[in-house]
Amino acid sequence: CINGDFDACLIQGRIHTKSKDYKKAAEILSPMHEDGNQDACALYGKVLKENNKPQRAIKLYKQACDKGSARCCELLGDYYETRSEQAYFYANKACKIDKQRCLLLGGILCFEDKFVQSFKAAEKSCYSQKYYISSCLMAAMAYENKLKNFMKKPKKLYSTLCERAPHRKEDFCVEAR
């Protein structure tokens, strides 16, 4: 980190954050945030939040979200009440910036009984990731519980789950056929 390696600094900031040494984490992450490193902004916001400065964290997240940080938009969406316009706004913005960040939007839409939109958001997140399967499982659950009777079976989704979810491989592989 001393040599200006941002990745090394970010790792060091994460280590200090996980060990709850927020003072050292802030010393590392604050300058990185000032330099515009969006990952550092997200992590520095967590440090501020943990130091009982949630309003400063929210302000930081908003600034980074406005500059295109999908992670900070997602953190804002998660911060606000699930059924609020602000939660939807920021979750939707995160999803538009980065498809991998569509899972939160899918959850918000599900709580609003918008199951088709919820399914589509979770499915979009699923296909944009190689290993993370939570969004794939959420899409399958939405289909199985709410959409099965009036929507064509999403075979691509089940094929993806067949490959990625070994604990239910047989179920998903059968549905993929």
Short mmCIF file of all heavy atoms in Angstrom, two decimals, residues 32-61:
data_model
loop_
_atom_site.label_atom_id
_atom_site.label_comp_id
_atom_site.label_asym_id
_atom_site.label_seq_id
_atom_site.Cartn_x
_atom_site.Cartn_y
_atom_site.Cartn_z
N MET A 32 -8.30 7.19 -0.70
CA MET A 32 -8.69 6.47 -1.92
C MET A 32 -10.06 6.94 -2.39
O MET A 32 -10.30 7.09 -3.58
CB MET A 32 -8.70 4.96 -1.66
CG MET A 32 -7.31 4.38 -1.43
SD MET A 32 -7.38 2.62 -1.05
CE MET A 32 -7.94 1.95 -2.62
N HIS A 33 -10.95 7.17 -1.42
CA HIS A 33 -12.28 7.70 -1.75
C HIS A 33 -12.14 9.07 -2.40
O HIS A 33 -12.78 9.35 -3.41
CB HIS A 33 -13.15 7.76 -0.49
CG HIS A 33 -14.25 8.76 -0.57
ND1 HIS A 33 -15.32 8.62 -1.41
CD2 HIS A 33 -14.43 9.95 0.06
CE1 HIS A 33 -16.12 9.66 -1.28
NE2 HIS A 33 -15.60 10.48 -0.40
N GLU A 34 -11.29 9.91 -1.82
CA GLU A 34 -11.08 11.26 -2.36
C GLU A 34 -10.53 11.21 -3.78
O GLU A 34 -10.83 12.07 -4.60
CB GLU A 34 -10.12 12.05 -1.46
CG GLU A 34 -10.65 12.32 -0.06
CD GLU A 34 -11.92 13.15 -0.02
OE1 GLU A 34 -12.09 14.04 -0.87
OE2 GLU A 34 -12.75 12.89 0.85
N ASP A 35 -9.75 10.16 -4.09
CA ASP A 35 -9.19 9.99 -5.44
C ASP A 35 -10.20 9.37 -6.41
O ASP A 35 -9.91 9.20 -7.58
CB ASP A 35 -7.93 9.11 -5.39
CG ASP A 35 -6.74 9.84 -4.82
OD1 ASP A 35 -6.77 11.09 -4.77
OD2 ASP A 35 -5.78 9.16 -4.41
N GLY A 36 -11.40 9.01 -5.90
CA GLY A 36 -12.46 8.51 -6.78
C GLY A 36 -12.54 7.00 -6.92
O GLY A 36 -13.27 6.50 -7.77
N ASN A 37 -11.82 6.25 -6.09
CA ASN A 37 -11.91 4.79 -6.16
C ASN A 37 -13.25 4.36 -5.57
O ASN A 37 -13.49 4.48 -4.37
CB ASN A 37 -10.75 4.16 -5.37
CG ASN A 37 -10.74 2.65 -5.46
OD1 ASN A 37 -11.71 1.99 -5.10
ND2 ASN A 37 -9.63 2.10 -5.92
N GLN A 38 -14.14 3.85 -6.42
CA GLN A 38 -15.51 3.55 -6.01
C GLN A 38 -15.59 2.39 -5.02
O GLN A 38 -16.44 2.39 -4.13
CB GLN A 38 -16.38 3.26 -7.25
CG GLN A 38 -16.44 4.41 -8.24
CD GLN A 38 -16.88 5.72 -7.63
OE1 GLN A 38 -17.77 5.79 -6.81
NE2 GLN A 38 -16.22 6.80 -8.01
N ASP A 39 -14.72 1.40 -5.16
CA ASP A 39 -14.70 0.30 -4.18
C ASP A 39 -14.32 0.82 -2.80
O ASP A 39 -14.89 0.40 -1.78
CB ASP A 39 -13.73 -0.80 -4.61
CG ASP A 39 -14.20 -1.54 -5.85
OD1 ASP A 39 -15.44 -1.63 -6.06
OD2 ASP A 39 -13.35 -2.05 -6.61
N ALA A 40 -13.36 1.72 -2.78
CA ALA A 40 -12.95 2.33 -1.50
C ALA A 40 -14.08 3.16 -0.92
O ALA A 40 -14.28 3.18 0.31
CB ALA A 40 -11.69 3.18 -1.69
N CYS A 41 -14.85 3.84 -1.76
CA CYS A 41 -15.99 4.64 -1.29
C CYS A 41 -17.00 3.75 -0.57
O CYS A 41 -17.51 4.09 0.50
CB CYS A 41 -16.68 5.36 -2.44
SG CYS A 41 -15.70 6.69 -3.16
N ALA A 42 -17.31 2.61 -1.17
CA ALA A 42 -18.27 1.68 -0.57
C ALA A 42 -17.77 1.19 0.78
O ALA A 42 -18.50 1.17 1.77
CB ALA A 42 -18.54 0.52 -1.51
N LEU A 43 -16.51 0.82 0.84
CA LEU A 43 -15.94 0.30 2.08
C LEU A 43 -15.79 1.41 3.13
O LEU A 43 -16.05 1.21 4.31
CB LEU A 43 -14.59 -0.36 1.78
CG LEU A 43 -14.03 -1.32 2.81
CD1 LEU A 43 -15.04 -2.37 3.23
CD2 LEU A 43 -12.79 -1.99 2.25
N TYR A 44 -15.39 2.59 2.69
CA TYR A 44 -15.26 3.72 3.60
C TYR A 44 -16.62 4.10 4.17
O TYR A 44 -16.74 4.44 5.36
CB TYR A 44 -14.60 4.90 2.90
CG TYR A 44 -14.33 6.09 3.79
CD1 TYR A 44 -13.69 5.94 5.01
CD2 TYR A 44 -14.69 7.37 3.39
CE1 TYR A 44 -13.44 7.04 5.82
CE2 TYR A 44 -14.43 8.47 4.20
CZ TYR A 44 -13.81 8.30 5.41
OH TYR A 44 -13.56 9.38 6.22
N GLY A 45 -17.65 4.01 3.37
CA GLY A 45 -19.00 4.25 3.87
C GLY A 45 -19.37 3.29 4.99
O GLY A 45 -19.99 3.67 5.99
N LYS A 46 -18.96 2.04 4.84
CA LYS A 46 -19.21 1.05 5.90
C LYS A 46 -18.48 1.46 7.18
O LYS A 46 -19.03 1.34 8.28
CB LYS A 46 -18.78 -0.34 5.46
CG LYS A 46 -19.01 -1.39 6.51
CD LYS A 46 -18.62 -2.77 6.07
CE LYS A 46 -18.89 -3.73 7.20
NZ LYS A 46 -18.68 -5.10 6.85
N VAL A 47 -17.24 1.92 7.04
CA VAL A 47 -16.46 2.37 8.19
C VAL A 47 -17.19 3.52 8.89
O VAL A 47 -17.33 3.54 10.12
CB VAL A 47 -15.04 2.80 7.77
CG1 VAL A 47 -14.32 3.53 8.89
CG2 VAL A 47 -14.23 1.58 7.32
N LEU A 48 -17.69 4.47 8.12
CA LEU A 48 -18.42 5.60 8.70
C LEU A 48 -19.69 5.12 9.41
O LEU A 48 -20.00 5.58 10.51
CB LEU A 48 -18.78 6.61 7.60
CG LEU A 48 -17.61 7.38 6.99
CD1 LEU A 48 -18.07 8.18 5.78
CD2 LEU A 48 -16.95 8.29 8.03
N LYS A 49 -20.38 4.20 8.77
CA LYS A 49 -21.62 3.66 9.35
C LYS A 49 -21.33 2.96 10.68
O LYS A 49 -22.04 3.14 11.66
CB LYS A 49 -22.25 2.70 8.35
CG LYS A 49 -23.73 2.52 8.49
CD LYS A 49 -24.28 1.84 7.26
CE LYS A 49 -25.02 0.61 7.65
NZ LYS A 49 -25.47 -0.19 6.55
N GLU A 50 -20.27 2.16 10.70
CA GLU A 50 -19.90 1.44 11.92
C GLU A 50 -19.41 2.38 13.02
O GLU A 50 -19.45 2.03 14.19
CB GLU A 50 -18.82 0.40 11.61
CG GLU A 50 -19.29 -0.72 10.71
CD GLU A 50 -20.40 -1.56 11.30
OE1 GLU A 50 -20.42 -1.77 12.53
OE2 GLU A 50 -21.28 -1.99 10.53
N ASN A 51 -18.96 3.57 12.66
CA ASN A 51 -18.51 4.58 13.63
C ASN A 51 -19.64 5.54 13.99
O ASN A 51 -19.39 6.68 14.38
CB ASN A 51 -17.32 5.37 13.07
CG ASN A 51 -16.02 4.68 13.32
OD1 ASN A 51 -15.81 4.08 14.37
ND2 ASN A 51 -15.11 4.76 12.36
N ASN A 52 -20.87 5.06 13.83
CA ASN A 52 -22.07 5.85 14.18
C ASN A 52 -22.14 7.17 13.43
O ASN A 52 -22.52 8.20 13.99
CB ASN A 52 -22.13 6.08 15.69
CG ASN A 52 -22.35 4.79 16.44
OD1 ASN A 52 -23.13 3.94 16.01
ND2 ASN A 52 -21.64 4.61 17.54
N LYS A 53 -21.77 7.12 12.16
CA LYS A 53 -21.89 8.30 11.30
C LYS A 53 -22.66 7.92 10.04
O LYS A 53 -22.18 8.09 8.92
CB LYS A 53 -20.50 8.82 10.94
CG LYS A 53 -19.69 9.28 12.15
CD LYS A 53 -18.29 9.68 11.77
CE LYS A 53 -17.50 10.03 13.03
NZ LYS A 53 -16.09 10.24 12.74
N PRO A 54 -23.89 7.41 10.24
CA PRO A 54 -24.63 6.91 9.07
C PRO A 54 -24.98 7.99 8.05
O PRO A 54 -25.01 7.72 6.86
CB PRO A 54 -25.89 6.29 9.68
CG PRO A 54 -26.05 6.96 11.00
CD PRO A 54 -24.65 7.26 11.47
N GLN A 55 -25.21 9.21 8.51
CA GLN A 55 -25.56 10.27 7.55
C GLN A 55 -24.38 10.61 6.65
O GLN A 55 -24.56 10.88 5.47
CB GLN A 55 -26.07 11.52 8.29
CG GLN A 55 -27.40 11.29 9.00
CD GLN A 55 -28.45 10.65 8.10
OE1 GLN A 55 -28.65 11.07 6.95
NE2 GLN A 55 -29.13 9.64 8.60
N ARG A 56 -23.16 10.58 7.20
CA ARG A 56 -21.97 10.80 6.36
C ARG A 56 -21.81 9.64 5.38
O ARG A 56 -21.43 9.86 4.22
CB ARG A 56 -20.72 10.94 7.24
CG ARG A 56 -20.62 12.31 7.86
CD ARG A 56 -19.31 12.59 8.54
NE ARG A 56 -18.16 12.41 7.67
CZ ARG A 56 -16.93 12.19 8.11
NH1 ARG A 56 -16.69 12.10 9.41
NH2 ARG A 56 -15.92 12.04 7.27
N ALA A 57 -22.11 8.43 5.83
CA ALA A 57 -22.02 7.27 4.94
C ALA A 57 -23.02 7.41 3.80
O ALA A 57 -22.67 7.18 2.63
CB ALA A 57 -22.26 5.98 5.72
N ILE A 58 -24.24 7.81 4.11
CA ILE A 58 -25.28 7.96 3.08
C ILE A 58 -24.87 9.04 2.09
O ILE A 58 -25.02 8.87 0.87
CB ILE A 58 -26.64 8.29 3.73
CG1 ILE A 58 -27.10 7.13 4.61
CG2 ILE A 58 -27.68 8.65 2.68
CD1 ILE A 58 -27.17 5.79 3.91
N LYS A 59 -24.33 10.13 2.58
CA LYS A 59 -23.87 11.22 1.70
C LYS A 59 -22.78 10.71 0.76
O LYS A 59 -22.80 10.97 -0.44
CB LYS A 59 -23.36 12.39 2.53
CG LYS A 59 -22.92 13.59 1.73
CD LYS A 59 -22.46 14.73 2.63
CE LYS A 59 -21.95 15.88 1.78
NZ LYS A 59 -21.40 16.95 2.62
N LEU A 60 -21.85 9.95 1.31
CA LEU A 60 -20.76 9.38 0.51
C LEU A 60 -21.32 8.41 -0.54
O LEU A 60 -20.94 8.46 -1.70
CB LEU A 60 -19.79 8.65 1.46
CG LEU A 60 -18.56 8.05 0.84
CD1 LEU A 60 -17.40 8.18 1.81
CD2 LEU A 60 -18.78 6.60 0.52
N TYR A 61 -22.23 7.53 -0.12
CA TYR A 61 -22.85 6.59 -1.06
C TYR A 61 -23.56 7.33 -2.19
O TYR A 61 -23.48 6.93 -3.35
CB TYR A 61 -23.86 5.68 -0.35
CG TYR A 61 -23.29 4.68 0.62
CD1 TYR A 61 -24.06 4.21 1.67
CD2 TYR A 61 -21.99 4.18 0.50
CE1 TYR A 61 -23.57 3.28 2.57
CE2 TYR A 61 -21.50 3.25 1.40
CZ TYR A 61 -22.28 2.81 2.44
OH TYR A 61 -21.80 1.88 3.32
#
